[in-house]
Amino acid sequence: MADSKSEQAYQILKQRIMDGTYGPGNRLVIDQLRREYDISSIPWRESLRRLEAEGWVDIVQNAGAVVKTFDTESWQRTMRLLARLNALATALSAEYLTPEDIALGRELNREMGDALANFDPRRFGALNRQFHNLLSSRCDDERLNDLVEAEWTRLELVRRSAFWYAPGRALASLAEHDAILDLIEGGATAEMIETASRRHDINTLEAVTHYDAELSKTETPAVTRAFG
């Protein structure tokens, strides 16, 4: 029963973090959680330690648990890891994708272009995730799928804290999406598909990192960044 309550508390907290109910910097007060969900203190403490180990919260002395605030370095680490994980999942999935899947991928890419033209970064981001989820949807490695999902969620939390933008990168990413689809449709090797997918994410990482560094050099005031 204790294990069940701990798991329940963990799932509640993780879901609330993912959906933005508990945003970056929010304190997670055990007494408040206990009253709200009618779960005793011990399962909450156990779940918070688990979330800390997974990188979702920070437990700060004299302050308690706080939802992790993501910064540039957090984004870079997540992108580097996601580049490898997502590329592998896509490569393992590719040979099982159907012509209908490829057609849907191209349609999602077109819709992303529309979102870009309409200056709609949230829709662009949602469609981008749908696109990559589709390409890795036939991967039968459950552990890998869980890791990919966790890093995508972490990336979305970073973007919720601040949009990331490098001029021209979003448009270039659409062309790279089409190139990956061409490789899959043309029966390219898993190694070629994995390399192209990983390069796609690394290109985003490098473009944003370079742009961020240039902004820092000129000491430009903080701006809203979109279409990462």
Side-chain angles (χ1 to χ4, degrees):
M1 182 64 71
D3 289 344
S4 176
K5 287 294 185 181
S6 180
E7 178 65 23
Q8 184 181 349
Y10 168 81
Q11 293 297 338
I12 289 171
L13 288 176
K14 190 168 184 179
Q15 181 59 42
R16 297 297 183 271
I17 292 170
M18 288 180 177
D19 66 20
T21 301
Y22 303 143
N26 279 22
R27 288 187 63 207
L28 300 173
V29 181
I30 289 177
D31 284 346
Q32 182 179 336
L33 293 168
R34 179 175 53 79
R35 290 192 299 269
E36 184 174 355
Y37 296 102
D38 195 28
I39 297 175
S40 65
S41 299
I42 292 176
W44 292 116
R45 290 194 184 94
E46 292 174 349
S47 64
L48 287 170
R49 284 196 293 268
R50 183 175 170 186
L51 289 165
E52 181 188 34
E54 293 176 358
W56 296 106
V57 304
D58 290 321
I59 297 180
V60 183
Q61 188 174 7
N62 300 324
V66 179
V67 178
K68 195 172 186 67
T69 298
F70 295 96
D71 53 19
T72 301
E73 290 186 3
S74 298
W75 182 82
Q76 291 171 332
R77 287 194 298 270
T78 298
M79 279 298 298
R80 282 194 292 267
L81 183 54
L82 185 60
R84 293 184 176 278
L85 295 173
N86 193 60
L88 178 57
T90 299
L92 294 174
S93 172
E95 66 177 301
Y96 304 109
L97 293 172
T98 67
E100 291 75 18
D101 293 327
I102 301 298
L104 177 56
R106 296 195 188 281
E107 177 59 28
L108 289 170
N109 211 34
R110 282 192 290 271
E111 291 182 23
M112 288 174 66
D114 291 340
L116 183 60
N118 291 321
F119 302 99
D120 189 346
R122 293 188 183 279
R123 178 162 173 74
F124 184 95
L127 289 167
N128 183 58
R129 181 164 181 180
Q130 282 183 251
F131 176 87
H132 287 288
N133 283 350
L134 171 67
L135 294 197
S136 63
S137 62
R138 300 293 188 271
C139 175
D140 61 359
D141 186 329
E142 186 174 347
R143 173 62 174 160
L144 176 59
N145 290 334
D146 288 344
L147 291 170
V148 170
E149 177 68 19
E151 293 310 311
W152 268 113
T153 301
R154 200 181 309 277
L155 188 65
E156 288 186 349
L157 289 176
V158 176
R159 283 174 170 159
R160 200 174 293 150
S161 301
F163 292 119
W164 299 91
Y165 173 67
R169 177 57 205 150
L171 190 61
S173 74
L174 300 183
E176 291 168 7
H177 285 174
D178 276 330
I180 294 169
L181 289 170
D182 288 343
L183 287 173
I184 295 172
E185 192 171 36
T189 65
E191 183 178 0
M192 290 175 65
I193 293 167
E194 182 176 355
T195 298
S197 180
R198 183 169 61 250
R199 185 69 249 175
H200 166 66
D201 286 333
I202 293 299
N203 285 345
T204 297
L205 172 63
E206 291 177 347
V208 173
T209 299
H210 176 75
Y211 183 61
D212 200 56
E214 291 301 310
L215 282 181
S216 298
K217 285 180 185 177
T218 58
E219 297 183 347
T220 302
V223 295
T224 300
R225 307 175 192 179
F227 300 118

